[in-house]
Amino acid sequence: MASARQTTDASASPTGAYARPEFAFLLPSLRGGGAERVVMDLARQAADEGHAVDMVVLNRAGAVVDDLGPGVRMVGLGRSRAAFALPAMIGYLRHARPRAMLTTLEHTNVLAVIAARLVPSAGAAPRTRVVVREANTVSEDLVGLKGRAVRALMRVAYRSADAVVAVSLGVARSLEAELGLNPERVRVILNPVITPRVLAGAKEPVGHAWFAPGEPPVILGVGRLTEQKGFDTLVKAFATLRASRPCRLIILGEGELRPELEALARDLGIEADVDLAGFVGNPFPYMANCAVFVLSSRWEGLPNVLIQAMAVGAKVVASDCPSGPAEVTDGGTLAPLVPVDDVAALAAAMSATLEREASELPEGWRERYELKAITAAYLDVMRGG
């Protein structure tokens, strides 16, 4: 079986250069975001079960390429953006003829559907079945003129896809309301984010001085430094909490709002106790050892980091954003939910959570998000089930 490091350029391959894969998985890149991690885990699990698997990426740049593991062939389209990748995508589908392709993120979803419709069946090889996966609530994630244009393309493409998967009930309702999809066409499959990599990674040393014995408790946030994640609200709430007790805040992730968040911490006089620590390949020891994990998002689809933090034993607080936190926490019975952007409520919830003991998750909770069963559900949809 091929190694993950064996790659090929789809746009340059002659006809017949591919052994036909059973399943293909399409991503913009392998840079390690939540959606990318989920699809990579699905591809690796499918390959481990003996299926011929291609991982197709617009370009091969990315820090986590080695995480694909043996058995997954990586195919680069040699393009920087989905808008320029249609000819290469058509070339890949014409030569490789995968039985089915799973794609995620709006732009690559539209790309895959259009390309598949332009590559007809050929002899014994039928047209590739395209399954699109949506990980965010449409109404919250696409705004402005560009967002409306993308939404219009999604409305056409998602209706033409062979199947649509939503990662939560909230995302499914959003697809039905915003894109007019028939509820019978939308299947909810939760994210397979409790994996051996997560559980093993949580046992590794943290490697940050603030977790040394005797140091103040650490509040943790993890995610891209973007408007969606609400880290400005978290920083303000932390400032309120810090005024009443010693504590520190670490946020793992990178993004365009780093300068604004750094300035906010300076303006609030808490910069010495706030560390925007950047992207960390293994955030799970941080989750397992923090005093409180906080999800401060303004919107989500299904928040992977919240699930993972709970799975490794963290006490958590989450915003009651659309959608996901209410589903993950069983309506707030497993962890406090606070209104979006409510600084005072978030600070109070963090303070109360610092004082309480960690509680056990209910029986069966972890199984909702485990890799093997969820991979089976995805492969069933990709086969036409």
Side-chain angles (χ1 to χ4, degrees), residues 9-15 18 26 56-58 75-96 101 107 110-116 118-119:
D9 183 347
S11 63
S13 296
T15 301
Y18 292 98
L26 175 64
V56 184
V57 293
L58 299 188
V75 179
L77 299 183
R79 300 293 185 272
S80 59
R81 297 175 56 189
F84 307 129
L86 184 59
M89 188 77 248
I90 290 172
Y92 167 76
L93 292 177
R94 182 177 293 124
H95 299 319
M101 171 176 281
H107 297 82
V110 171
L111 168 68
V113 171
I114 294 173
L118 294 175
V119 180

Side-chain angles (χ1 to χ4, degrees), residues 100-146:
M101 171 176 281
L102 175 70
T103 173
T104 195
L105 303 174
E106 294 89 352
H107 297 82
T108 45
N109 288 350
V110 171
L111 168 68
V113 171
I114 294 173
R117 296 298 169 185
L118 294 175
V119 180
S121 302
R127 181 184 60 80
T128 296
R129 177 178 170 82
V130 175
V131 178
V132 300
R133 171 185 176 272
E134 184 53 60
N136 265 317
T137 47
V138 178
S139 58
E140 300 290 342
D141 199 36
L142 295 170
V143 296
L145 182 61
K146 182 179 179 180

Side-chain angles (χ1 to χ4, degrees), residues 3 21 47-48 73 83 92 136 143 146 156 176 201 203 227 238 240 278 301 313 324 353 360 369:
S3 163
D48 288 346
R73 177 174 58 182
Y92 167 76
N136 265 317
V143 296
K146 182 179 179 180
V156 174
E176 295 156 13
K203 298 176 182 178
E227 180 72 15
F238 172 77
T240 300
T353 302
E360 289 293 322
Y369 309 104

Side-chain angles (χ1 to χ4, degrees), residues 219-280:
I219 310 297
L220 179 68
V222 178
R224 291 173 293 114
L225 307 184
T226 63
E227 180 72 15
Q228 176 186 357
K229 300 303 180 181
F231 287 134
D232 54 329
T233 299
L234 175 55
V235 170
K236 293 173 186 176
F238 172 77
T240 300
L241 179 65
R242 180 66 184 84
S244 64
R245 63 182 300 163
C247 53
R248 287 166 170 164
L249 173 65
I250 295 176
I251 299 176
L252 305 181
E254 278 297 349
E256 63 269 18
L257 294 186
R258 171 179 281 277
E260 288 86 343
L261 293 172
E262 291 173 337
L264 178 60
R266 287 194 300 272
D267 292 344
L268 293 171
I270 56 172
E271 67 270 27
D273 292 314
V274 175
D275 185 7
L276 303 183
F279 174 79
V280 173

